[in-house]
Amino acid sequence: MYKILKKRFLNENTYEMVIDAPRVSKNCMPGQFIILKLDDKGERIPLTIADFDREKGTITIVVQKVGASTTKLSYLNEGDYVEDFAGPIGLASELTNESIEDLKKKKILFVGGGVGIAPIYPQAKWLHENGVDCDVIVGARSKDILIYEDEIRKVCKNLYIATDDGSYGKKGLVTDVIQDLYNEGKKYDVCISIGPLVMMKFVCRLTKTLNLKTIVSMNPIMVDGTGMCGCCRVNVGDEVKFACVDGPEFDGHLIDFDNVIARSKIYQTEEGRAMLKLQEGDTHHGGCGNCGGDK
Amino acid sequence: MEKVKVPEQSPEERAKNFKEVCLGYSEEDAKKEACRCLNCKVPNCRKGCPVSINIPGFIAEIKEGNYEKAYQIISEDSNLPAVCGRVCPQETQCEGKCIKGMMGDAISIGKLERFVADYAREHNLNVDTEIKKNGIKIAVVGSGPAGLTCAGDLAKMGYDVTIFEALHKAGGVLTYGIPEFRLPKDTVVNNEVEKIKKLGVKFEYNVIVGKTITIDQLIKDEGFRAIFIGSGAGNPKFMGIPGENLNNVFSANEFLTRVNLMKASSDEYDTPVSIGKKVAVVGGGNVAMDAARTSLRLGAETTIIYRRSLEELPARKEEVHHAEEEGVKFELLTNPIKINSDENGNVTSITCVKMELGEPDESGRRSPIEVKGSEFDLDVDMVIMSLGTSQIDVIAKNTPGLETNKWKCIIVDDVTGQTSRKEIFAGGDVTSGASTVILAMEAGKKAAKGIDEYIKTSNN
Ligand SMILES: Cc1cc2nc3c(=O)[nH]c(=O)nc-3n(C[C@H](O)[C@H](O)[C@H](O)COP(=O)(O)OP(=O)(O)OC[C@H]3O[C@@H](n4cnc5c(N)ncnc54)[C@H](O)[C@@H]3O)c2cc1C
Ligand code: FES
């Protein structure tokens, strides 16, 4: 059992939890993720690590309510426990393998969107702690749902903000900001992009034309997270890679995003039903003819 | 004289439920079957058993109705008799060597072993072993049959054993792979795990050794004097044909894990599983049979596609026979070359070619060759790939000095299970590639002895 030490909502649909998990925090690195299981009947949910504190033995996760399980998790409060919390899983961010000297010579750009902004934080923080600068672009639909702005501002050199509705920062998409920066004559050596699949797809499309190496963090559907089931496989160039052992970060220019997007929808119908059941609770007794609840 | 038949659920009935197929012998039938045993002076059956259970010995006790004694005899050599009695390939091991089998039916050794183990469970029989604790800490990585056996044996010798398991539940393949209808989880598997716990073995779940903690940290920071690695077979293989990443193409491991471990087919659990109307399972091993029979039970019309003929099917005969009885179809001498989909990326059919068998290769098996122009489409909406596994090197990569072979399997000494690092031992699928429960158990036993030996010699 793993205790929830802190919980706060970052916006209506996104919450942050600090979990007591000394074993996980001991060896984890930026870029890695964990798998959480709520209770004995829960599913195994992969979540990227948003922060960690080795001394306190804690891991911070940021979760968006997207389905039944992440909604159920949001009902838990400080002092409650989750049954399982396994990790760290996957490989550490490629940046952390390079020498600090080399990194200092590089111009590094992070591009985050939605809940994907959170996992940018530990990477930027790690660079900052090692005296390496980076620029960060974050995008959100509107100002009130933008998360982790203050945290990230503290650890990057320049923070650029884009909102779809123009309520904060530039009105437009993160790709517009990248283009602007390049138009102003800026150049980067590497871009790390984390966010919704569609965002990463368009970031990669643009950075390819800019000849900017781009790393993306994939979060496909997973089961075990140990490489045993192959559920998390992604085509990277000509190769099939398992995100839980070979990833989650891959060369974004080699990813077949349309396939990844199609695969992410496998359980949409089932998930919709589970959500309905959760929202309607005991009042849900079938009748829709779909869930078998009326049998 | 023919063997005493063991009662089974009828094929029509069992094709719709997940209850165990084989119902097991009654006392009376077990005794009758035991009486067929000739109690040979030189028991070949025993030679056929990887852990050398005293087979004639325990069968003789069944004849007399001394089931507790029979259980003690089996327990001397096996920690998991209720499991082995159900899933061992007896036809190629003990029963394959039985003299009786030359002229007629071999003694049903597996079913008798199972009878004794079930009797012991139902009557709460325990083999009391007095344990003198020595306080020496040993870590076991993985809680499959190799890890459980090694941990159990070491605990009996007095060691302070902790099992580190990556998943949230113990048992390895016994829990996530082999389905309920062949190996009941609550009664059989959990009971075996509980027995190991009663010996004082500690279990830590959610620890992915090599990631959460390295082997060297276990040794240096946590004071473990020796390590046993029983982390299993690794990644599922795919064919590399077009369309394998389409929606509703799964590995057998994924499909079985969703159903067995995550209980996805039950409404009460949150994990989803898709199930098609028409499912193709590609492959011919035990895993393929399990996947096919599981998909059948979830209501799909299921076809096994296998590139050789019935004779070469590597699955146990009993499983193939059960699958056929239940209505699984077989497309033999057939090989998939492409999976097709609709515009949303969902599987609609699988394109196959017919095969014929050529000359035997080095392994003695006749290798299949494509028949030109024999392509055809099979309408299916889900495909399960069951093509075996290849090693992952999560542990080896993070353990300096631990040597692996070209298949990334950890290299060990055959007798002791010792690796290139003297304090690290390994066994089971992680060293052999996907194999069997009993061989994993044997490896766990050998390594327990090897570790004991190592600790004793390195103490002085
Ligand atoms: C569907 C299916 C059906 C089968 N049917 C039969 C049969 O009928 N008869 C038969 O004899 N054999 C059968 N087998 C094969 C048999 O189950 C295996 O050979 C046997 O389980 C291997 O045992 P093991 O202990 O080596 O590994 P496993 O049972 O695979 O256990 C390994 C354990 O280690 C854990 N682990 C992995 N990596 C780590 C890590 N880094 N840190 C911590 N823990 C880790 C895993 O989660 C797992 O729990 C079948 C296999 C499958 C998949
Ligand atoms: S989640 Fe099962 S292999 Fe990656």
Side-chain angles (χ1 to χ4, degrees):
Chain A
M1 299 286 265
Y2 302 78
K3 193 170 184 176
I4 301 169
L5 300 173
K6 277 197 197 135
K7 174 193 170 188
R8 62 175 177 137
F9 274 90
L10 302 176
N11 65 38
E12 201 187 326
N13 278 314
T14 312
Y15 51 97
E16 176 194 70
M17 280 177 171
V18 178
I19 313 270
D20 183 33
R23 277 217 189 274
V24 185
S25 74
K26 187 167 178 196
N27 283 336
C28 74
M29 288 294 284
Q32 291 184 297
F33 60 101
I34 56 96
I35 282 192
L36 176 152
K37 189 162 88 46
L38 205 60
D39 53 29
D40 61 336
K41 300 194 167 60
E43 58 181 328
R44 295 170 64 88
I45 318 168
L47 298 164
T48 315
I49 294 172
D51 198 5
F52 55 90
D53 184 328
R54 291 202 216 284
E55 251 148 57
K56 294 204 183 102
T58 61
I59 297 282
T60 304
I61 49 171
V62 171
V63 193
Q64 191 177 18
K65 288 196 263 175
V66 283
S69 294
T70 44
T71 303
K72 260 197 218 169
L73 180 63
S74 75
Y75 299 158
L76 295 190
N77 289 308
E78 288 176 15
D80 290 340
Y81 292 82
V82 292
E83 192 159 291
D84 296 289
F85 197 84
I89 299 177
L91 303 177
S93 164
E94 214 178 283
L95 292 175
T96 63
N97 296 327
E98 291 183 38
S99 80
I100 302 298
E101 289 320 304
D102 285 349
L103 286 173
K104 281 186 178 160
K105 286 183 216 135
K106 279 194 174 161
K107 290 209 162 319
I108 303 168
L109 175 68
F110 288 95
V111 181
V115 69
I117 297 171
I120 290 204
Y121 174 62
Q123 301 207 21
K125 182 179 165 191
W126 184 87
L127 290 174
H128 183 69
E129 282 169 357
N130 284 294
V132 180
D133 285 340
C134 66
D135 286 355
V136 180
I137 303 172
V138 295
R141 245 182 304 123
S142 71
K143 175 170 186 186
D144 50 314
I145 62 165
L146 180 68
I147 61 165
Y148 263 51
E149 182 193 343
D150 297 340
E151 286 83 351
I152 290 188
R153 196 179 289 283
K154 281 186 212 137
V155 292
C156 70
K157 186 144 177 249
N158 299 300
L159 177 65
Y160 306 94
I161 295 165
T163 50
D164 293 4
D165 61 2
S167 53
Y168 195 31
K170 184 188 165 72
K171 181 177 188 328
L173 304 170
V174 288
T175 40
D176 299 333
V177 182
I178 303 177
Q179 191 63 64
D180 287 353
L181 291 175
Y182 266 72
N183 290 347
E184 286 165 22
K186 282 217 178 199
K187 266 188 96 130
Y188 293 94
D189 298 302
V190 59
C191 162
I192 296 102
S193 176
I194 312 179
L197 287 170
V198 178
M199 181 201 94
M200 292 193 284
K201 172 176 162 176
F202 284 100
V203 167
C204 288
R205 193 174 279 181
L206 173 64
T207 56
K208 202 159 184 182
T209 64
L210 300 173
N211 220 349
L212 170 59
K213 174 181 171 178
T214 302
I215 294 164
V216 292
S217 177
M218 303 308 270
N219 202 348
I221 299 170
M222 294 194 181
V223 186
D224 58 308
T226 68
M228 174 270 284
C229 80
C231 169
C232 62
R233 62 195 188 277
V234 234
N235 285 336
V236 182
D238 297 335
E239 284 178 280
V240 178
K241 299 270 189 186
F242 288 7
C244 70
V245 274
D246 309 316
E249 295 188 349
F250 295 109
D251 180 344
H253 294 154
L254 297 178
I255 298 273
D256 174 356
F257 277 101
D258 292 332
N259 178 257
V260 178
I261 291 170
R263 280 184 69 78
S264 72
K265 294 183 180 149
I266 300 181
Y267 295 109
Q268 234 164 35
T269 341
E270 277 88 350
E271 186 53 53
R273 274 179 217 152
M275 201 61 203
L276 214 60
K277 203 165 138 191
L278 183 70
Q279 283 163 352
E280 300 181 358
D282 291 339
T283 61
H284 178 81
H285 58 272
C288 58
N290 273 332
C291 65
D294 50 350
K295 267 185 212 145
Chain B
M1 198 171 97
E2 280 183 16
K3 67 178 173 195
V4 179
K5 288 229 159 48
V6 65
E8 287 175 350
Q9 277 197 73
S10 79
E12 301 74 40
E13 200 183 325
R14 69 184 195 238
K16 295 189 210 87
N17 68 46
F18 276 88
K19 287 192 222 126
E20 209 178 355
V21 170
C22 170
L23 303 172
Y25 280 139
S26 63
E27 270 189 64
E28 198 185 326
D29 283 349
K31 272 190 188 159
K32 246 201 244 164
E33 179 65 10
C35 286
R36 294 176 58 230
C37 176
L38 302 174
N39 206 346
C40 306
K41 280 247 155 50
V42 186
N44 282 336
C45 52
R46 201 171 173 178
K47 286 190 209 138
C49 174
V51 296
S52 313
I53 293 176
N54 178 359
I55 295 166
F58 90 76
I59 293 184
E61 297 300 338
I62 299 180
K63 278 186 206 164
E64 305 299 322
N66 297 332
Y67 308 125
E68 187 160 4
K69 190 83 218 309
Y71 182 60
Q72 282 165 5
I73 293 176
I74 298 178
S75 300
E76 282 165 21
D77 301 294
S78 170
N79 299 19
L80 310 168
V83 174
C84 292
R86 288 174 164 84
V87 305
C88 265
Q90 289 100 4
E91 64 275 17
T92 57
Q93 297 179 163
C94 52
E95 293 178 18
K97 297 258 158 49
C98 174
I99 296 284
K100 279 259 177 180
M102 306 263 208
M103 285 106 49
D105 289 341
I107 307 292
S108 298
I109 301 170
K111 301 284 185 290
L112 289 174
E113 179 186 23
R114 170 191 161 151
F115 166 78
V116 172
D118 287 356
Y119 183 94
R121 184 182 63 248
E122 283 153 19
H123 294 81
N124 264 324
L125 302 184
N126 283 314
V127 182
D128 284 327
T129 28
E130 213 174 304
I131 298 178
K132 251 181 53 210
K133 295 214 159 93
N134 64 19
I136 299 173
K137 285 172 76 178
I138 312 282
V140 168
V141 182
S143 63
L148 287 176
T149 304
C150 187
D153 278 10
L154 286 167
K156 284 185 206 159
M157 295 174 198
Y159 290 95
D160 178 6
V161 187
T162 306
I163 296 188
F164 294 95
E165 167 57 52
L167 294 174
H168 57 271
K169 226 171 166 232
V173 170
L174 307 181
T175 296
Y176 71 70
I178 305 180
E180 184 74 22
F181 54 84
R182 280 214 290 137
L183 188 63
K185 307 298 157 218
D186 282 344
T187 43
V188 179
V189 181
N190 294 353
N191 184 62
E192 301 289 358
V193 172
E194 285 308 313
K195 275 181 6 204
I196 304 287
K197 282 188 188 157
K198 280 205 192 104
L199 293 171
V201 174
K202 286 167 259 180
F203 285 71
E204 257 205 63
Y205 300 102
N206 300 318
V207 178
I208 305 147
V209 174
K211 292 274 175 195
T212 311
I213 188 159
T214 62
I215 300 248
D216 285 300
Q217 285 173 326
L218 284 173
I219 297 169
K220 288 199 192 87
D221 302 350
E222 307 211 1
F224 288 98
R225 290 275 307 277
I227 314 280
F228 174 75
I229 304 171
S231 56
N235 290 325
K237 284 190 200 153
F238 288 89
M239 293 184 81
I241 58 174
E244 253 179 327
N245 263 14
L246 291 167
N247 285 356
N248 292 337
V249 181
F250 301 98
S251 77
N253 272 9
E254 179 183 348
F255 179 66
L256 290 169
T257 301
R258 283 181 184 273
V259 178
N260 297 335
L261 177 72
M262 306 309 294
K263 312 246 185 289
S265 55
S266 155
D267 262 356
E268 286 169 40
Y269 288 75
D270 295 340
T271 305
V273 62
S274 328
I275 182 74
K277 292 195 173 65
K278 288 185 165 192
V279 175
V281 178
V282 182
N286 282 324
V287 184
M289 296 304 137
D290 283 345
R293 295 171 68 198
T294 299
S295 119
L296 184 97
R297 280 163 171 75
L298 293 173
E301 190 183 317
T302 308
T303 308
I304 286 190
I305 300 178
Y306 178 59
R307 60 201 182 113
R308 301 176 202 246
S309 67
L310 197 59
E311 264 168 39
E312 284 88 359
L313 269 177
R316 290 183 56 201
K317 290 282 166 298
E318 182 179 1
E319 305 308 332
V320 178
H321 174 68
H322 278 152
E324 278 181 318
E325 278 185 343
E326 288 160 11
V328 172
K329 291 186 204 146
F330 287 80
E331 282 283 349
L332 299 166
L333 289 166
T334 303
N335 206 28
I337 50 171
K338 185 161 70 108
I339 305 170
N340 313 299
S341 72
D342 61 16
E343 67 281 6
N344 298 323
N346 297 316
V347 171
T348 52
S349 69
I350 182 164
T351 306
C352 304
V353 283
K354 281 284 172 198
M355 309 293 277
E356 59 192 7
L357 292 180
E359 293 303 309
D361 59 14
E362 315 89 81
S363 72
R365 288 213 296 188
R366 296 173 60 195
S367 49
I369 317 166
E370 260 181 53
V371 179
K372 289 233 157 43
S374 64
E375 275 165 41
F376 67 102
D377 279 2
L378 204 64
D379 283 343
V380 292
D381 52 6
M382 180 166 149
V383 177
I384 301 174
M385 290 290 175
S386 177
L387 308 155
T389 49
S390 57
Q391 267 304 321
I392 355 177
D393 47 7
V394 169
I395 297 181
K397 224 176 6 203
N398 294 301
T399 313
L402 190 65
E403 281 171 21
T404 53
N405 65 17
K406 64 175 169 181
W407 297 283
K408 295 194 202 160
C409 292
I410 298 175
I411 301 171
V412 288
D413 180 285
D414 269 351
V415 180
T416 62
Q418 197 167 36
T419 67
S420 54
R421 295 238 337 235
K422 59 184 187 345
E423 72 281 40
I424 305 176
F425 295 72
D429 285 1
V430 70
T431 57
S432 61
S435 171
T436 60
V437 172
I438 190 75
L439 290 175
M441 260 184 63
E442 181 193 20
K445 279 195 153 315
K446 283 183 175 169
K449 273 199 207 111
I451 288 173
D452 186 44
E453 209 55 11
Y454 161 74
I455 295 284
K456 282 181 178 145
T457 50
S458 64
N459 266 352
N460 30 27

